[in-house]
Amino acid sequence: MSKITKNEGDTARYQEADRRHHMHPFTDYKQLGQKGSRVITRADGVYLWDSDGHRLLDGMAGLWCVNVGYGREELAKAAYDQMLQLPYYNTFFQTSTPPATDLAQLLAEVTPAHLNRVFFTNSGSEANDTVLRMVRRYWDLQGKPQKKTIISRINAYHGSTVAGASLGGMDPMHRQGDLPIPGIVHIEQPYWYANGGELSPDEYGVVAARRLEEKINELGVGQVAAFIAEPIQGAGGVIIPPETYWPEIKRICSDYDILLVVDEVICGFGRTGKWFGSDYYGLQPDLMPIAKGLSSGYLPIGGVMVSDRVAQTLIDEGGEFFHGFTYSGHPAACAVAAANIRILQNEKLVERVQQETGPYLQQRWRELADHPLVGETRGLGFLAALELVKDKHKRLFFDERGKVGTLCRDFCFNNGLVMRAVRDTMIISPPLIMTREQIDELMVLALKCLDLTAKELGIA
Ligand code: PXG
């Protein structure tokens, strides 16, 4: 367990260097320069410490990724040993390495049965860039090159590269850099609380799924290559689809012969209480991007699980696939990912989330529904969200979306809890090792911060 504290106390120095030299992702630079960044110096289990020595309960598992928790010596050792043995070799041009091969085999075992091959990347974004190229290559090889368009959803997050951000459905991202690129279109997301109106969730689930069918018919079925979606939208606000949604989507993909791409970057590796969101919803993805929980964030690694159907075409008909990254199948990252999967298996963390701690978290989380600010509580496994609203009875959002969420998030940070705000939706995605006692602690902090937010707004 890491107890290194030597960085604490150097906050001003880090903030100054950061301001001068570091351009952060998804950050308003002027604002950060005025405020100064929060510097995280160490972590253990489900806790983080900042450079002033404050402890934070990490309700977000880093960025939805540290599934096995911080401070795992086995993972550090796996990287250390591998770096001494073979720190780098590539997997291009018909070479391989033991860690890449072993991890590929392990992934074939833990993912759904028809997914038996992986293409390695270094991130979820690269995985989705790979998806775009594989989908189009597949239809080319099938003799249907006009099947090019990929249908995605509003508020989806599929990464930050040009293809990733285009596949994603985030307007503010599209406005920066003339995205999406051609051949990517977006339909409504199954967000009952915001869009369902008077329909029941089940009625609305079918309506939202049929947006896909409508879009296919509008574009012409001969033009449509694939539909891509997260099982549960993460960065879009933990949007849990009504039970009727996925069965209808499955029907449509099959009726119109379009590939189903299920982005498991967040839902994968136990987050829903199943190994994959696809297991939870009974999906059979043709391609399945993975990252984050694959290595619990200890080293960067991602990949695309490729179904037998797609793989066979690429193998039999494809010749060379001109795609790959210097670090595809990086030995140290693969060794760490394999050790991480072994931890999930040996400690039965997925089963624990499904049977014990997940239901407990969800039960406690539902208690927040009584709070005057909370319009809806929802969640599954170790994912949960709260809708903060102006009027919970009328299902009315705040006029200036995002302000109250940011206020609440800042109260959380300042009171020892990392909880993320998406607009005015508060979100948690804790490490899968979180215990009942730590869930209780999270609840106390969350409630306190909701109260502070309500007080600041003059409510209750
Ligand atoms: N797909 C999904 C579903 C994701 O959530 C990516 C792809 C891209 O992965 P990389 O490894 O390229 O970041 C993601 C990433 C947030 C937040 O604020 C979410 C992500 C990344 C950063 C911030 O919620 N998700």
Side-chain angles (χ1 to χ4, degrees), residues 69 160 178 284 352 399 402 423 430:
S160 223
D178 292 326
Q284 290 215 313
R352 190 166 118 189
D399 301 329
R423 303 174 301 273

Side-chain angles (χ1 to χ4, degrees), residues 30-96:
K30 197 192 278 177
Q31 203 182 49
L32 184 73
Q34 286 156 0
K35 212 170 120 192
S37 45
R38 181 186 282 272
V39 184
I40 304 298
T41 53
R42 67 189 170 99
D44 193 13
V46 298
Y47 296 103
L48 304 164
W49 280 264
D50 72 12
S51 52
D52 294 325
H54 297 126
R55 193 181 82 161
L56 292 151
L57 179 64
D58 187 4
M60 280 306 295
L63 268 180
W64 325 75
C65 55
V66 189
N67 289 9
V68 299
Y70 299 95
R72 293 283 193 164
E73 285 192 17
E74 311 93 297
L75 299 191
K77 189 154 185 326
Y80 179 86
D81 290 348
Q82 185 56 47
M83 284 188 189
L84 287 179
Q85 170 90 23
L86 179 71
Y88 175 75
Y89 203 73
N90 67 72
T91 52
F92 283 48
F93 316 134
Q94 311 203 351
T95 54
S96 194

Side-chain angles (χ1 to χ4, degrees), residues 26 60 63-64 122-126 128 157-160 230 232 234-236 263-267 289 291-292 301 420 422:
F26 282 86
M60 280 306 295
L63 268 180
W64 325 75
N122 307 290
S123 67
S125 298
E126 288 178 7
N128 282 317
Y157 191 79
H158 297 297
S160 223
E230 303 149 77
I232 294 169
D263 183 338
E264 296 268 7
V265 168
I266 283 180
C267 290
K292 295 193 189 272
I301 181 166
R420 167 130 164 55
V422 174

